[in-house]
Amino acid sequence: MKNYAFTINGKSISTEKTFDVKNPATGDLIGSASMSNKDHVSQAVAAAKAAQPSWAAKSDEERKSTVNKVADILAENTAYLAKWITEEQGKPMAGPGSMFEMQACVGWTQVPASLDLPVEAIFEDDTRKDELHRKPVGVIGAIAPWNWPLMIAIWQIIPAIRAGNTVVLKPSEYTTIGTLEMVRLINTVLPPGVLNTVSGGGDIGASLVEHKDVDKIMFTGSASTARRIIESSKGNMARLTLECGGNDAAIILPGTDMKSKAEDLFWGAFINMGQTCACAKRLYVHENDYDAVVEVLSDLASKMPMGNGMEDGIVLGPIQNKMQFDKVNDLVKDAKSKGAEVICGGSPLGGPGYFYPITLLGNVDNGHRIVDEEQFGPVLPIIKYKIVEEAIQKANDTKTGLGGSVWGDDLDQAAKVASKIQAGTVWINQHGAIHPMVPFGGIKDSGYGVEFGIEGLKAVTRPQVISIKKPVLV
Ligand code: NAD
């Protein structure tokens, strides 16, 4: 079985100590990844630190041109990397799957390459002139999750290098090989040391966070890990961008025509088998519309082929790992024991892969674990409401605040409701519709800081004020 290497200072590093990577659709071993240790973390940070000044000294045009070359590499290797995503993560090649993830990688690379952060004139009078310049932060540690492994790594690394930082990336231990391979390919167009990888579990992530020469951490993952990162960055005072989980509510306003919108809602809840931070994870429906909404969603669920994502026509894959599979199973079992009605799905499909059917649950409410906790799986609890204020209050009754959505035919009314939802983004008649120009980030336990667009680029810089005293006129 091939041993995939990590990259430090432009060189591939293989170790004797490795860990296995299995295909979640088949249980087959598909490769092994070299395991980094603390020394490798130090070497990677040292390489990033040494490369940073000369990378930052390049002109914006040079860095933009190099980042565009990265986009070309990603586009040329889309099929190869998409195959890794499907075999390692589980999402199918087709539908909103791994080819889609690779297209997003290209787009989220091209857009930062097109952005600038010009000097801002902050203040001027007869006596002084103050300008705000944007400087790179330095060495950025990027820590990625397993759900959109390549796309989220790209979100973290591309704005960082565009702005003149250098990066050490640690992929999730569940989805390491595709990311190591992507970084190996990207390194063919970057100067050595600008983008490095280390691999392993949370202990390697923690070593990176604690390292004295790391200036900023870009983290995407769970709130519990984010809290550990806050603790372990107290020594180096690394700046943090924390993109954590969510438990997004979707509210359908009374009388909304959902036939035309149902497919968008379906994928807003079930893209990547619901293993997406900003998926609709709770659906609030007026009691008079409940039957019609249930019918249209269960009809769609019955038509979506699930299986090994390497096969043609498959649009839904397995759950990515056993921990997540058990969590979903446990939450659905708990809901059933509390009287939830299983509209469709509701129990595992059987091995060898971690297949769990699209599951719609009725007769559930806030206060049930399946509604209150982030299930991060192919499950949607559907909660009836009588008045819109009740739905808003229940939507906000959560510790998280990543996204939310309002579905309605009257856009003004939908916008009024949207403004009352406590979340970083509230979509109207769509859910999870992120865009590389539009800032994205959460509130409450969903973390802090934003990614994407100009705001995302600013987040990987530090402001420097240049303050000039004007000569006194005599
Ligand atoms: P996780 O927190 O378990 O792991 C994420 C990463 O952190 C992994 O690379 C892991 O090895 C690393 N890690 C673990 N312990 C660490 C430590 N002490 N110090 C440093 N790094 C450590 O999360 P996960 O299960 O991989 O991802 C799923 C979660 O991510 C869900 O909650 C999901 O909602 C969230 N998520 C959020 C976004 C977003 O943009 N807001 C996007 C995708 C996923």
Side-chain angles (χ1 to χ4, degrees):
M1 195 54 59
K2 186 166 172 189
N3 172 4
Y4 289 85
F6 48 90
T7 303
I8 296 180
N9 208 23
K11 295 194 180 70
S12 290
I13 314 275
S14 297
T15 58
E16 276 181 24
K17 193 169 177 197
T18 61
F19 56 100
D20 291 342
V21 177
K22 289 187 175 165
N23 182 334
T26 61
D28 294 342
L29 189 63
I30 50 175
S32 60
S34 282
M35 174 82 92
S36 306
N37 58 31
K38 273 192 164 194
D39 287 342
H40 294 122
V41 174
S42 288
Q43 287 163 23
V45 174
K49 190 176 178 191
Q52 200 269 331
S54 53
W55 178 243
K58 289 188 187 300
S59 69
D60 275 318
E61 289 319 310
E62 277 178 283
R63 279 201 304 276
K64 285 163 115 175
S65 156
T66 306
V67 173
N68 274 321
K69 285 184 195 149
V70 171
D72 294 343
I73 289 283
L74 294 171
E76 284 159 22
N77 290 281
T78 283
Y80 173 70
L81 293 172
K83 186 168 167 288
W84 268 115
I85 296 172
T86 294
E87 289 190 339
E88 197 173 41
Q89 198 277 337
K91 65 172 70 74
M93 295 288 279
S98 55
M99 292 297 280
F100 170 83
E101 181 167 347
M102 283 310 302
Q103 284 157 13
C105 287
V106 174
W108 259 272
T109 302
Q110 288 167 333
V111 168
S114 72
L115 298 179
D116 282 301
L117 291 175
V119 174
E120 291 170 55
I122 296 293
F123 179 77
E124 183 162 14
D125 66 9
D126 293 344
T127 64
R128 60 186 289 156
K129 183 179 171 192
D130 297 87
E131 299 168 346
L132 194 144
H133 296 242
R134 293 270 164 193
K135 303 277 186 182
V137 178
V139 173
I140 294 199
I143 299 182
W146 47 260
N147 57 341
W148 293 88
L150 272 55
M151 181 178 77
I152 289 175
I154 287 290
W155 293 354
Q156 297 173 331
I157 63 189
I158 295 298
I161 63 176
R162 160 66 192 93
N165 304 282
T166 52
V167 178
V168 178
L169 165 67
K170 192 202 83 69
S172 167
E173 52 275 41
Y174 292 112
T175 51
T176 297
I177 298 177
T179 314
L180 296 185
E181 284 295 274
M182 177 174 79
V183 170
R184 177 182 65 77
L185 291 163
I186 291 176
N187 259 274
T188 59
V189 294
L190 285 179
V194 170
L195 176 58
N196 310 275
T197 39
V198 288
S199 58
D203 55 328
I204 294 300
S207 304
L208 180 58
V209 174
E210 286 162 8
H211 197 288
K212 65 178 177 42
D213 290 329
V214 167
D215 300 292
K216 171 154 187 160
I217 293 293
M218 305 282 295
F219 168 75
T220 300
S222 59
S224 53
T225 304
R227 287 199 164 83
R228 285 197 282 276
I229 287 175
I230 292 168
E231 278 289 316
S232 42
S233 61
K234 66 183 177 211
N236 59 11
M237 278 209 197
R239 292 159 169 77
L240 304 176
T241 292
L242 303 174
E243 294 280 5
C244 308
N247 191 13
D248 294 10
I251 299 176
I252 303 180
L253 296 179
T256 302
D257 165 29
M258 282 309 290
K259 281 220 165 101
S260 58
K261 304 176 187 72
E263 196 152 338
D264 284 337
L265 176 58
F266 181 88
W267 286 116
F270 297 115
I271 187 168
N272 197 28
M273 291 289 281
Q275 302 166 115
T276 300
C277 52
C279 262
K281 296 191 175 104
R282 304 172 282 150
L283 179 60
Y284 294 89
V285 181
H286 190 268
E287 57 187 1
N288 293 346
D289 302 326
Y290 180 84
D291 291 345
V293 168
V294 161
E295 188 185 331
V296 74
L297 286 179
S298 40
D299 181 48
L300 279 169
S302 69
K303 289 181 179 149
M304 300 293 177
M306 180 180 288
N308 182 342
M310 293 305 293
E311 290 167 15
D312 286 346
I314 297 295
V315 295
L316 291 165
I319 289 179
Q320 203 278 327
N321 58 65
K322 182 159 185 333
M323 173 271 296
Q324 193 56 42
F325 180 82
D326 289 345
K327 182 175 161 190
V328 169
N329 202 11
D330 177 50
L331 284 171
V332 174
K333 272 191 195 162
D334 178 77
K336 288 197 285 191
S337 76
K338 306 265 162 48
E341 177 205 352
V342 177
I343 297 160
C344 62
S347 32
L349 293 174
Y354 299 124
F355 287 102
Y356 200 97
I358 297 293
T359 296
L360 299 174
L361 297 176
N363 198 28
V364 280
D365 206 344
N366 288 49
H368 294 177
R369 286 181 61 209
I370 194 69
V371 178
D372 293 353
E373 295 180 23
E374 183 198 32
Q375 23 87 12
F376 215 56
V379 184
L380 188 63
I382 309 180
I383 301 128
K384 287 183 192 170
Y385 70 83
K386 286 184 197 300
I387 56 166
V388 174
E389 282 306 319
E390 176 198 348
I392 296 169
Q393 184 265 321
K394 286 183 174 172
N396 288 337
D397 181 19
T398 171
K399 282 200 229 158
T400 58
L402 189 57
S405 62
V406 181
W407 301 74
D409 297 323
D410 178 340
L411 296 184
D412 289 339
Q413 191 198 1
K416 279 188 191 131
V417 175
S419 71
K420 296 181 183 174
I421 305 291
Q422 296 163 359
T425 304
V426 187
W427 290 280
I428 293 176
N429 294 332
Q430 52 185 0
H431 198 115
I434 53 173
H435 187 282
M437 277 304 288
V438 181
F440 175 67
I443 60 170
K444 303 192 208 171
D445 272 11
S446 293
Y448 48 76
V450 291
E451 294 178 281
F452 313 164
I454 291 289
E455 293 305 316
L457 200 54
K458 284 181 181 170
V460 283
T461 66
R462 59 179 172 84
Q464 183 187 42
V465 172
I466 303 287
S467 184
I468 308 152
K469 180 173 172 148
K470 289 188 175 173
V472 181
L473 296 176
V474 281

